[in-house]
Amino acid sequence: RGLGPGGNIAAGGLGFLAQGFEGLKRPLTAADFGLKNILGLRGRLPGIITLASGALAVGLAVGLTRLTSQAAKAARELENATHRTGLTIEGLQELQHAARVTGVPLELLSTTMQRLQRRAADANAGNKGLQQAFRALGVTLTDTEGRMRSTEDLLGQVADGLNRVENNADRVALAFKIFDTEGGRLLPLLAEGSDGIKALREEARELGLVISG
């Protein structure tokens, strides 16, 4: 159901095969070895083989088409997410693994990385409140040449900064300032610190979960 004409052909062929081999479910008798029955089976055998080959080919084609379509959709979603978050395709996949391991929803990861990038840019542009929040965490927004640091770099700095905050209420408040209300839900990932996040990213590569863009 839902496979279209090709799928219906395959289903019909498989149904015919099932009927053709239904007799194998009962015990064989001497009558089954009669010349008439053997010749009858031999006459139907090419048709059975042809139907089996056709059903298999159609089934594989349908499966490959679906797989290709799903892979293309996933690739588009991944590319769109990199534009929103400022992460590389590889970096996003690595952080998605880290999020899964620490129980952070992938949608939340994408949203918070987007906010981190935007709020770092706002702080660098002069937003006093955000400047104060990043400064309290010891985050350096730009490199020695004045260019904005990458989202991955900023995430590691923020994680280490939050882990240095001893009071839990203060830690959550600072997470809210950087990531908005979703900051509290991101804390399980941030608790890993930059070293822990780096280790999880490397693990994603070792497991073959990262596809180069």
Side-chain angles (χ1 to χ4, degrees), residues 76-136:
R76 286 194 300 270
E77 291 176 349
L78 199 60
E79 185 176 4
N80 291 336
T82 62
H83 294 318
R84 293 193 304 270
T85 61
L87 296 164
T88 63
I89 290 179
E90 293 84 357
L92 177 58
Q93 293 173 94
E94 292 165 3
L95 286 177
Q96 285 178 337
H97 171 67
R100 292 189 192 96
V101 171
T102 55
V104 172
L106 298 186
E107 298 80 4
L108 177 68
L109 175 70
S110 180
T111 299
T112 50
M113 293 306 97
Q114 184 177 356
R115 286 181 179 161
L116 173 60
Q117 181 192 40
R118 185 173 64 245
R119 294 192 172 183
D122 289 344
N124 192 51
N127 186 302
K128 300 299 183 183
L130 289 173
Q131 286 180 348
Q132 183 179 4
F134 281 112
R135 191 179 302 115

Side-chain angles (χ1 to χ4, degrees), residues 91-211:
L92 177 58
Q93 293 173 94
E94 292 165 3
L95 286 177
Q96 285 178 337
H97 171 67
R100 292 189 192 96
V101 171
T102 55
V104 172
L106 298 186
E107 298 80 4
L108 177 68
L109 175 70
S110 180
T111 299
T112 50
M113 293 306 97
Q114 184 177 356
R115 286 181 179 161
L116 173 60
Q117 181 192 40
R118 185 173 64 245
R119 294 192 172 183
D122 289 344
N124 192 51
N127 186 302
K128 300 299 183 183
L130 289 173
Q131 286 180 348
Q132 183 179 4
F134 281 112
R135 191 179 302 115
L137 295 174
V139 175
T140 303
L141 299 174
T142 58
D143 60 21
T144 55
E145 297 181 2
R147 294 174 299 191
M148 285 294 300
R149 295 187 180 276
S150 67
T151 306
E152 293 99 322
D153 189 352
L154 292 171
L155 176 64
Q157 289 191 66
V158 170
D160 288 342
L162 287 172
N163 287 334
R164 286 192 295 267
V165 178
E166 296 183 2
N167 184 279
N168 185 64
D170 292 339
R171 186 184 309 115
V172 172
L174 283 168
F176 276 23
K177 288 183 179 180
I178 304 297
F179 302 105
D180 207 346
T181 54
E182 285 83 1
R185 298 171 62 198
L186 190 65
L187 286 175
L189 173 61
L190 298 172
E192 296 291 326
S194 60
D195 289 341
I197 293 173
K198 180 181 178 181
L200 289 171
R201 293 178 63 180
E202 291 175 351
E203 181 179 81
R205 288 188 174 276
E206 292 171 357
L207 294 174
L209 302 177
V210 179
I211 300 174

